[in-house]
Amino acid sequence: MRSALIWLVRLCSLAAWVAAAVACMWLLGATAMARPWHEPFVWGAVAVGCAVVRVVALWVLRGEPKGDGLTDEFWVKLRTGALWAVVAFSSAVFAVAILTSANAGEKLDALRDAGAEVSTATVVERHSTRQELSDGVVKGYASRLVVSVPGGAERLTVRGAYTQEKPGKGTEVDVLWARSDPDLGGYINESKDLRTLAENRWRAFQDDELGMGSLIAFIAMGFIGAILTFVFTLVPDADDLQEVAWSAPFQTVRTALTLLVFWGWSPLMLGSQSSVPQIIVAVGSSCLVLLGYIFTSLRGFG
């Protein structure tokens, strides 16, 4: 019985690690796609399910000799390093996904469902314009425009059109619109890669302003994660790391953290309405994951 439970813990650990890594990889580029994002949701659910089964098995094993018999220092350090690698990766992915998941919401999804395409249009009318400020500096302009698409809609209404320069009559702009349903209006945002959005294809870092920002965030969070991986893998003793890995209470805290993050991200992945607590969890998920694993890894320092 004990041997079977030990193997169950091992297999669930491996399956959860793989599923979490795949889910985060999908989430890294899924924000360029219309919701629902089924792939990261399913893989995330697999990771959570395996984590729950694993922690139940650990509680059943509690009170028996600790560990799985694999106490070789190299193996323990390698296993811990692999865990921290996926923790660092997930934290970086959550930061990127939060930065890039903002889009035109239901309107953009409706345009894509109607067969969205990108065309170069000409501004026919400008009804209103407001400056978009950042730290007191003008970053761009948000306008309500009427544009004309050559060979398509002669008058296409675009609300909240974001441009880097103040648009005027005759200005050429790229617009995302649906030829089959011009009444949906158009979508203009010069800070985003409209063709990637129109094609609904997976892309980790888009060729736009947000893509560069998300890449910088990914590198920064990855660097922090790499430092933490080094510290919490190489500094503690292998015996202490082994004890933490097979401690039911500590692994329960980590599993609860995994469940919390998955709960916070589920509405975003499925395209449903998030509650305020879920939004808070999703926005703070990078810090939640890092801090949660830091505190539950301090046991390894003795």
Side-chain angles (χ1 to χ4, degrees):
M1 178 65 177
R2 180 178 183 276
S3 177
L5 287 172
I6 287 175
W7 273 105
L8 180 62
V9 170
R10 291 176 184 170
L11 293 175
C12 285
S13 297
L14 178 60
W17 188 93
V18 172
V22 174
C24 289
M25 178 60 74
W26 264 106
L27 191 60
L28 185 63
T31 51
M33 303 171 66
R35 295 178 178 88
W37 303 331
H38 287 132
E39 290 84 357
F41 179 82
V42 170
W43 282 103
V46 171
V48 169
C50 290
V52 170
V53 172
R54 176 178 183 270
V55 83
V56 169
L58 286 175
W59 277 105
V60 175
L61 283 169
R62 198 181 185 203
E64 298 190 27
K66 295 288 192 303
D68 57 358
L70 298 175
T71 56
D72 177 76
E73 182 173 2
F74 174 77
W75 164 253
V76 173
K77 299 271 186 178
L78 179 64
R79 184 177 60 190
T80 304
L83 171 65
W84 268 99
V86 80
V87 168
F89 180 57
S90 64
S91 297
V93 167
F94 291 143
V96 170
I98 284 295
L99 284 175
T100 58
S101 62
N103 56 29
E106 294 180 359
K107 179 179 179 180
L108 181 55
D109 289 342
L111 287 171
R112 283 189 282 210
D113 290 342
E117 60 182 89
V118 179
S119 302
T120 300
T122 303
V123 176
V124 176
E125 298 175 9
R126 188 190 76 216
H127 294 287
S128 62
T129 298
R130 72 173 186 276
Q131 295 179 340
E132 294 288 316
L133 303 176
S134 177
D135 297 327
V137 178
V138 178
K139 297 283 290 184
Y141 299 86
S143 310
R144 183 175 181 272
L145 305 175
V146 177
V147 302
S148 174
V149 181
E154 293 185 0
R155 294 181 63 82
L156 190 71
T157 302
V158 183
R159 294 177 175 83
Y162 176 81
T163 55
Q164 294 175 342
E165 301 294 334
K166 189 174 183 179
K169 187 174 182 179
T171 300
E172 291 190 343
V173 290
D174 286 338
V175 60
L176 183 69
W177 68 296
R179 190 178 298 273
S180 64
D181 193 356
D183 291 338
L184 288 173
Y187 177 69
I188 295 173
N189 192 326
E190 293 186 345
S191 71
K192 297 185 179 181
D193 185 345
L194 296 187
R195 284 176 173 78
T196 298
L197 294 177
E199 294 170 8
N200 196 29
R201 56 189 167 92
W202 190 95
R203 187 166 186 175
F205 303 105
Q206 301 177 47
D207 296 330
D208 55 28
E209 183 178 321
L210 283 177
M212 180 58 68
S214 63
L215 178 60
I216 293 173
F218 183 78
I219 293 173
M221 291 299 297
F223 179 73
I224 294 173
I227 294 175
L228 292 174
T229 299
F230 176 84
V231 170
F232 286 103
T233 300
L234 299 182
V235 175
D237 293 333
D239 289 341
D240 292 329
L241 293 175
Q242 182 79 342
E243 186 174 357
V244 170
W246 287 82
S247 168
F250 277 85
Q251 297 307 317
T252 299
V253 172
R254 289 181 173 180
T255 299
L257 177 63
T258 303
L259 280 166
L260 178 65
V261 171
F262 183 72
W263 171 77
W265 274 95
S266 291
L268 294 174
M269 291 187 285
L270 295 177
S272 56
Q273 185 67 38
S274 298
S275 65
V276 173
Q278 286 174 314
I279 293 174
I280 293 173
V281 169
V283 171
S285 52
S286 290
C287 291
L288 274 174
V289 170
L290 285 180
L291 291 176
Y293 273 81
I294 286 173
F295 287 130
T296 54
S297 296
L298 293 176
R299 173 75 174 271
F301 287 87

